[in-house]
Amino acid sequence: MFQGETAITVDDKGRLAVPTAYRELVARECANRLVIAYNPFELGCLYLYPEKEWQRVRDSVNALPSTQRAHRNLQLKLVGAATPVELDGNGRISIPASHRSAVGIEKKAVLLGMGDKFELWSEQAHHAQIRQTLSDDDLSEHMLDLKL
């Protein structure tokens, strides 16, 4: 559904414009509603889920037994801090200050379309991630058969 990388500017009020290439898709598929959550696996990144996809993720995460620390941590970062947002008339969304601060998003960010969701990266974290390369030790069994 979503694919591509876009440099984004965040204004002084914490708003960012969803790229015009995605606006119609977000309006049609998501009724202009997204849900922001922390990325529990990477520093410097937020997830932006379409509302329907978010409901599926939320329900599966909440179904995990909260007696395990890793489950509680996942529930805290994904469900506990989730914030619904809606595109305004100018195609912008407001990213809460607490979320921006926690992941280091200031004026510049990078929005990645990752299929079923967006990832919103601080510019610094995105550059650091892109500069990393995979070594043979990083390859999983599933990756070995990929034809890239």
Side-chain angles (χ1 to χ4, degrees), residues 135-148:
S135 71
D136 289 346
D137 293 336
D138 295 323
L139 300 178
S140 71
E141 182 180 314
H142 302 288
M143 294 167 76
L144 295 175
D145 292 330
L146 290 175
K147 305 290 184 217
L148 303 176

Side-chain angles (χ1 to χ4, degrees), residues 47 59 70-71 74 86 90 111 118 125 128 132 135 143 147:
Y47 287 155
D59 292 347
H71 295 173
L74 187 64
E86 193 164 338
N90 294 318
L111 186 71
F118 292 108
Q132 292 180 9
S135 71
M143 294 167 76
K147 305 290 184 217

Side-chain angles (χ1 to χ4, degrees), residues 64-99:
L64 296 170
S66 61
T67 54
Q68 292 187 358
R69 182 183 308 260
H71 295 173
R72 287 192 311 273
N73 195 3
L74 187 64
Q75 290 163 342
L76 169 84
K77 290 178 180 181
L78 283 175
V79 180
T83 303
V85 294
E86 193 164 338
L87 274 71
D88 67 13
N90 294 318
R92 298 174 303 192
I93 58 171
S94 292
I95 307 297
S98 58
H99 287 71

Side-chain angles (χ1 to χ4, degrees), residues 114-125:
M114 298 295 291
D116 60 348
K117 66 182 171 298
F118 292 108
E119 291 184 0
L120 182 65
W121 288 81
S122 75
E123 184 179 55
Q124 300 83 1

Side-chain angles (χ1 to χ4, degrees), residues 2 9 12-13 16 19 26-27 29 32 36-37 60 64 69 71 82 90 100 102 104-105 113 117 128 130 137 143 147:
F2 306 118
T9 300
D12 292 337
K13 295 180 181 178
L16 63 89
V26 169
E29 299 294 324
N32 281 329
I36 300 171
S60 64
L64 296 170
R69 182 183 308 260
H71 295 173
N90 294 318
R100 292 191 321 269
I105 292 174
K117 66 182 171 298
I130 292 301
D137 293 336
M143 294 167 76
K147 305 290 184 217

